[in-house]
Amino acid sequence: MVKKGAKTGDGSSQSSNSEKYANDLKIMIEGMQEGNYTEEAFPTIMEWFKNLEKFSTEMVDSGLTYGKVMRNNFVKLHYRELLPILQELCYEIRKRDSDIFDLKISLAESEFSLLKAKVWTLEKENASLRARLDLNNDLVNTIGEILPKLEELKKANTQTLKEDLPSIIKQAACPEIKSSLETINKEIVAEVKKSRVEARSFAQVAMQSKDVRQGPSILPSKDPEGILLVKPKDDTHKDFEANRKIIIDILQTHSPEARLRGVTRIFGGGVKLIAASPDDIAAIKETLLEHGDSETMGNFDLVTPNRRSPQFIMYGVPKDVEEGTLRAGLLAKNITLADGHNKPHFKLEFSIPARDQKSNHWVMSVNPKKYEDFKNKEGLYFQFSRYRLSEFISIKHCKICYAFGHTTRGCDPKNKQLCDKCGEIKGESHRCKGSNCLNCREANRKLRTNYKTDHGCLDRNCPSLIRQKELVIRRTDYGF
């Protein structure tokens, strides 16, 4: 074997392999395209090939031949690192196949139950019609029996006939008809409620089919909650605890039967009241206005906010595209996004930087009545490309105290940075004690839940985070 740089018999230096042959491995790496791989897998695969190219180049430059030592080095340093990459890709494929299978089963069961309920409803309607027909026949017979009496009354006194005829017919037929119809209607309503399957959004079905090993499935009701905001009119009433006591005292004295799901703080020391339905919150608002001291309540505005509009996110729009250009381009290429007067069914809210730093993801609010149309779209056309579209559920999650309901900007300045794993203050001497979700701990303490806490605050399968998503979905107007 002649190593690199060795002299030949005539005194000339033999060319190295790297000089005689092109580096095909490096050429292959330069030709790899990010679009051919997933966002998560591409950096790992690229790093593995670059390390392999570096190692093999060093071996070639050293003039080493392929032998046992080099083989073992290749296995230890490179081929062994390839197995976890392949295992991760196979796991993602199996997981996606499982999600698709669960989604198909869920949709099939929903359609079957709905058809079953419709058949049962039609059978009940048929029975109801038959009952009405029998009642009509009975009514005819009853009227036939009444006719002789009517003739007698007619002869005796026309005025008496006019007065007695309605009561005679009512006493003879109406109670039986009313009772029968009420019974049938109650049976129909009860059976339809028992057999019905509530309509679910794509986000609900998708979240229900996600990694059931780590978190509960989501099937929230879309029945709207009732929300009332009690906002101070000036800065002299910014004490949340004092404002909360005023509201609770009024309800405790004048409406102790009122049921609230929560009483939370809002910006400026205001109070947010959450009830099970808009009717419940309307009754609470009426109690505050009627029984609250006029001078005290005059310091607050009672606001019933509109329900949140559904939101969607469009991925990978070039970063140099401005909002106006994007709106006009979407309307030009997707004619169903506007009405007959070219009024858009959507509103661009804000953009989120993508990982590749060359594009943005755009979040848009849509008309609730057009929610189903947007949900069924796989993407939107803009210029000469189609961009992927999916439902967007926004959760306010602070990255300092990791509480829900506000962002980092609205966090109390007195709060210190916490560890997202163990929930302790993240100081210079901090040592993480392991995963122990502070949000699930608080939920178990305040709401008497039984959530597991062996995960971090940012875990996507955190039960408290999933509950917040349920609340956002419940407070969204889907146009149903």
Side-chain angles (χ1 to χ4, degrees):
M1 179 184 68
V2 179
K3 290 189 177 182
K4 179 181 177 181
K7 298 288 185 176
T8 61
D10 56 0
S12 62
S13 177
Q14 183 181 4
S15 300
S16 67
N17 289 336
S18 61
E19 295 172 346
K20 292 171 64 176
Y21 300 99
N23 189 339
D24 289 342
L25 181 55
K26 186 175 182 180
I27 294 174
M28 184 189 72
I29 293 173
E30 293 175 349
M32 291 174 66
Q33 300 292 328
E34 182 178 359
N36 295 332
Y37 307 87
T38 63
E39 293 183 3
E40 294 81 3
F42 181 74
T44 305
I45 295 174
M46 177 63 75
E47 181 182 1
W48 185 88
F49 272 105
K50 287 183 177 180
N51 291 336
L52 177 61
E53 193 278 331
K54 179 181 178 182
F55 178 79
S56 60
T57 299
E58 291 175 353
M59 296 298 100
V60 172
D61 292 342
S62 299
L64 300 178
T65 59
Y66 188 83
K68 294 181 179 179
V69 175
M70 184 181 294
R71 178 194 62 192
N72 293 340
N73 287 338
F74 267 105
V75 171
K76 292 178 180 177
L77 300 178
H78 299 284
Y79 295 152
R80 187 172 295 167
E81 299 297 327
L82 181 60
L83 290 179
I85 298 175
L86 298 177
Q87 291 173 356
E88 179 65 22
L89 293 176
C90 291
Y91 170 76
E92 291 296 331
I93 293 174
R94 291 198 306 271
K95 180 180 176 184
R96 183 169 299 176
D97 291 343
S98 176
D99 291 345
I100 294 174
F101 179 78
D102 292 343
L103 182 59
K104 287 182 178 179
I105 291 179
S106 177
L107 293 176
E109 291 177 351
S110 298
E111 292 177 359
F112 176 76
S113 299
L114 183 60
L115 291 174
K116 183 178 178 181
K118 288 183 178 178
V119 170
W120 193 93
T121 302
L122 292 175
E123 291 176 350
K124 284 297 181 180
E125 289 180 354
N126 185 30
S128 175
L129 292 175
R130 288 182 179 276
R132 292 181 183 180
L133 181 60
D134 293 340
L135 289 174
N136 288 335
N137 292 333
D138 294 341
L139 182 61
V140 171
N141 295 331
T142 302
I143 292 176
E145 296 175 358
I146 294 176
L147 286 178
K149 184 177 181 180
L150 295 179
E151 290 294 332
E152 294 177 3
L153 293 173
K154 182 178 180 182
K155 293 177 181 179
N157 193 326
T158 303
Q159 184 64 30
T160 303
L161 175 63
K162 291 181 181 180
E163 295 175 355
D164 293 349
L165 181 59
S167 62
I168 293 173
I169 295 177
K170 182 177 180 180
Q171 293 174 1
C174 288
E176 186 176 357
I177 295 174
K178 181 179 179 181
S179 175
S180 177
L181 290 178
E182 286 180 350
T183 302
I184 293 173
N185 288 335
K186 288 180 180 179
E187 290 179 357
I188 292 174
V189 172
E191 187 65 24
V192 171
K193 285 184 177 180
K194 179 180 177 182
S195 302
R196 73 186 177 93
V197 176
E198 294 183 348
R200 291 173 284 173
S201 71
F202 174 79
Q204 292 171 294
V205 176
M207 286 189 288
Q208 184 187 16
S209 62
K210 280 188 178 180
D211 202 359
V212 294
R213 300 170 304 165
Q214 302 184 32
S217 61
I218 293 181
L219 186 56
S221 169
K222 287 190 176 179
D223 295 336
E225 287 185 324
I227 297 178
L228 179 65
L229 304 180
V230 182
K231 297 182 176 181
K233 292 183 178 180
D234 51 54
D235 294 340
T236 59
H237 296 83
K238 296 182 65 175
D239 188 344
F240 165 72
E241 293 298 335
N243 297 336
R244 179 180 181 278
K245 186 177 185 305
I246 293 173
I247 302 302
I248 296 301
D249 287 347
I250 296 174
L251 295 178
Q252 184 65 37
T253 303
H254 300 284
S255 184
E257 73 282 0
R259 295 183 298 175
L260 288 173
R261 289 184 173 179
V263 180
T264 59
R265 179 198 304 267
I266 60 176
F267 182 78
V271 180
K272 180 179 181 180
L273 305 177
I274 306 172
S277 69
D279 292 339
D280 290 342
I281 210 67
I284 291 172
K285 181 178 180 180
E286 183 177 350
T287 300
L288 295 177
L289 293 176
E290 181 178 354
H291 299 287
D293 180 74
S294 58
E295 182 178 355
T296 301
M297 297 307 298
N299 298 320
F300 302 94
D301 288 325
L302 303 184
V303 180
T304 304
N306 295 326
R307 296 174 66 193
R308 170 184 176 271
S309 295
Q311 290 186 334
F312 287 81
I313 183 169
M314 189 169 62
Y315 297 94
V317 180
K319 205 166 190 176
D320 57 351
V321 176
E322 297 181 353
E323 180 179 344
T325 304
L326 178 59
R327 183 187 299 105
L330 291 175
L331 291 174
K333 291 294 182 73
N334 306 269
I335 59 175
T336 59
L337 299 188
D339 58 16
H341 302 287
N342 204 34
K343 182 180 179 180
H345 294 310
F346 68 94
K347 177 184 177 183
L348 295 175
E349 298 290 353
F350 55 88
S351 61
I352 302 173
R355 290 184 180 180
D356 59 8
Q357 299 181 353
K358 296 180 181 179
S359 56
N360 287 331
H361 307 320
W362 276 90
V363 176
M364 62 178 69
S365 298
V366 304
N367 184 343
K369 295 182 179 179
K370 297 295 179 179
Y371 166 75
E372 289 291 339
D373 296 339
F374 277 84
K375 186 188 72 172
N376 294 329
K377 291 183 181 295
E378 296 181 357
L380 295 177
Y381 292 95
F382 175 69
Q383 294 179 349
F384 297 99
S385 300
R386 189 178 75 166
Y387 296 93
R388 186 163 59 92
L389 188 73
S390 65
E391 189 170 359
F392 180 74
I393 301 177
S394 176
I395 305 295
K396 289 185 177 181
H397 197 179
C398 180
K399 296 303 185 293
I400 295 179
C401 66
Y402 293 104
F404 298 110
H406 66 273
T407 60
T408 302
R409 182 180 300 178
C411 189
D412 191 335
K414 299 178 182 178
N415 291 339
K416 296 182 179 181
Q417 179 66 55
L418 301 182
C419 175
D420 65 290
K421 298 293 184 184
C422 64
E424 301 295 334
I425 297 177
K426 197 172 184 180
E428 295 181 358
S429 60
H430 170 70
R431 290 186 179 181
C432 186
K433 301 178 182 178
S435 297
N436 190 4
C437 178
L438 62 90
N439 288 321
C440 289
R441 291 203 316 261
E442 284 297 302
N444 292 339
R445 184 178 67 86
K446 293 182 178 180
L447 305 179
R448 296 184 179 180
T449 57
N450 192 25
Y451 294 154
K452 293 183 178 180
T453 60
D454 56 349
H455 56 270
C457 298
L458 300 180
D459 192 321
R460 65 177 182 176
N461 294 306
C462 170
S464 295
L465 178 61
I466 293 175
R467 180 177 177 274
Q468 292 298 316
K469 291 181 180 179
E470 292 179 1
L471 294 177
V472 172
I473 293 174
R474 190 179 294 117
R475 295 167 186 172
T476 300
D477 181 7
Y478 289 97
F480 301 141

